[in-house]
Amino acid sequence: MSTPGTSPADGMYSKLIDDEVPYDELNRGTDVGHSGHSVSHLRMMPRPSGPGPYRLATICLATLCAVLLISIIAVTAHYKNKPQGGSEATAEAQKQSQVANVSALTASINKLQQEKQQLQKERDDLQKERDDLQKEKGDLQKERDELQAKLATKPTPQAPDVVRPTTKAPIICPPDWQIFNDSCYFISRNSRSWPESKSFCESKGAHLAIIHTPEEQTFLWDLLPRGHWNAYWFGITDGHTEDVWKWVDDTPLVGGFWEEGEPNNHIDEDCGYIVKTEVLERVAIRSWYDAPCSMYWRFICEKEMGVGGSTAMPH
């Protein structure tokens, strides 16, 4: 046990001193007969004052540990904030991959845009071709209509006599009558029933038109204007015997220029008429229809003039 006034470190130091006394030194003290005095003398030796060497070593060691700890923390923080070589390589590889993907997508988008522009150009070219064809068709149609209108509205010479150039004696038609071969034809502007039309033509020294040839039929067809349903009576009827068609001069019909499916005698249809509409597919040689004689249509009169005929027809 330590004595009062001494610290445990001093006691430990004293113990260490005691332990370091050589054994032979103690024996020598015994041999001279002063063993008890020697031991007591050693224990009575003065102890060094101030901190011992072990305390200084402990302080130095603690200081060194603190320095090492601070150094380790600083190095760790430095390397922790510094990206690793492997991470940099990975990030660079990812960046290059993303750049390559963006480049590929950009190239695909540019290619699609070029294809779209090419398709739009082809579409515009086709549209232009179609418009050009449509315009050309319209121009041809307009030209055809103008020619037909000129034929239909061919001005009648105002001279009292119209001389037809021929080697025969001239055939003379009155105003508003058109000449074809040896006949003059009148296209009415008013509508009448078939019997009334027949009477009107006879009052003019003529008769409802009798049509024998395709040329005569085409000539009359070209005189007619186009319309929704422009119909004109001419001189044919089967009013005496059904399906036995005869001309107004009582001669039988041979052939004819009926529309397909005509005559059909749908509702007691006993008189013939010509139709000209706005449908361009209709043709002159298939334009005859039959209808009830009481219907009101325009009509066509014909007067055979013969050689040296005159214009002395009532108006």
Side-chain angles (χ1 to χ4, degrees):
M1 178 179 292
S2 61
T3 59
T6 63
S7 65
D10 293 338
M12 183 180 295
Y13 176 76
S14 299
K15 185 177 183 301
L16 290 173
I17 294 298
D18 292 340
D19 291 338
E20 291 177 356
V21 176
Y23 182 75
D24 56 355
E25 189 71 31
L26 292 176
N27 288 335
R28 284 194 304 267
T30 303
D31 290 340
V32 294
H34 300 289
S35 60
H37 177 75
S38 300
V39 172
S40 299
H41 177 75
L42 291 172
R43 291 183 179 179
M44 293 296 291
M45 288 179 65
R47 296 180 177 88
S49 62
Y54 289 99
R55 179 176 296 180
L56 181 60
T58 302
I59 293 172
C60 292
L61 182 61
T63 303
L64 180 61
C65 289
V67 172
L68 289 175
L69 179 60
I70 293 172
S71 300
I72 290 172
I73 292 173
V75 172
T76 302
H78 174 72
Y79 283 99
K80 183 177 180 181
N81 295 329
K82 182 179 179 181
Q84 299 180 1
S87 300
E88 290 180 352
T90 303
E92 183 65 23
Q94 292 178 350
K95 180 179 178 181
Q96 292 179 356
S97 177
Q98 292 175 353
V99 170
N101 291 336
V102 170
S103 299
L105 289 174
T106 303
S108 299
I109 291 172
N110 292 336
K111 183 178 180 181
L112 290 174
Q113 288 178 343
Q114 291 176 358
E115 292 177 354
K116 177 184 176 183
Q117 292 175 355
Q118 183 66 25
L119 291 174
Q120 288 177 341
K121 183 177 181 300
E122 293 177 358
R123 183 195 65 181
D124 294 339
D125 292 340
L126 291 174
Q127 182 68 36
K128 185 176 183 301
E129 290 179 3
R130 191 186 76 170
D131 293 341
D132 292 341
L133 290 174
Q134 191 69 27
K135 183 177 182 300
E136 184 178 355
K137 178 182 176 182
D139 293 339
L140 291 174
Q141 182 65 47
K142 181 179 178 181
E143 183 178 354
R144 176 179 176 179
D145 291 341
E146 289 175 353
L147 290 174
Q148 290 178 342
K150 287 180 180 179
L151 291 174
T153 59
K154 183 178 180 180
T156 303
Q158 299 300 318
D161 295 331
V162 177
V163 178
R164 177 176 177 232
T166 180
T167 56
K168 300 179 182 179
I171 296 177
I172 302 171
C173 292
D176 297 332
W177 290 69
Q178 304 296 326
I179 188 171
F180 180 77
N181 289 341
D182 295 331
S183 296
C184 294
Y185 297 88
F186 173 76
I187 310 298
S188 78
R189 298 182 180 86
N190 299 319
S191 298
R192 301 173 185 266
S193 67
W194 191 88
E196 292 172 349
S197 301
K198 179 174 178 293
S199 297
F200 178 88
C201 292
E202 290 172 352
S203 70
K204 301 298 182 180
H207 54 75
L208 285 173
I210 297 174
I211 305 170
H212 291 299
T213 65
E215 292 78 12
E216 185 180 11
Q217 168 69 20
T218 302
F219 169 78
L220 294 175
W221 165 271
D222 289 339
L223 293 178
L224 305 180
R226 288 190 178 274
H228 175 68
W229 189 263
N230 281 349
Y232 294 81
W233 292 122
F234 64 104
I236 193 171
T237 179
D238 68 346
H240 296 292
T241 304
E242 187 63 38
D243 292 331
V244 178
W245 292 88
K246 291 185 178 182
W247 295 107
V248 289
D249 63 358
D250 208 32
T251 58
L253 170 66
V254 178
F257 306 104
W258 299 100
E259 176 62 273
E260 185 177 354
E262 298 289 333
N264 55 21
N265 194 33
H266 180 58
I267 45 174
D268 194 22
E269 299 174 332
D270 295 330
C271 294
Y273 67 96
I274 298 173
V275 170
K276 187 172 184 180
T277 70
E278 295 176 350
V279 179
L280 300 180
E281 287 74 12
R282 291 185 178 274
V283 294
I285 59 174
R286 289 197 304 274
S287 60
W288 290 5
Y289 290 78
D290 60 340
C293 300
S294 59
M295 294 186 69
Y296 270 60
W297 300 125
R298 299 174 187 176
F299 54 91
I300 304 173
C301 296
E302 177 186 4
K303 178 176 178 62
E304 288 97 1
M305 300 299 292
V307 178
S310 68
T311 62
M313 292 189 297
H315 296 289

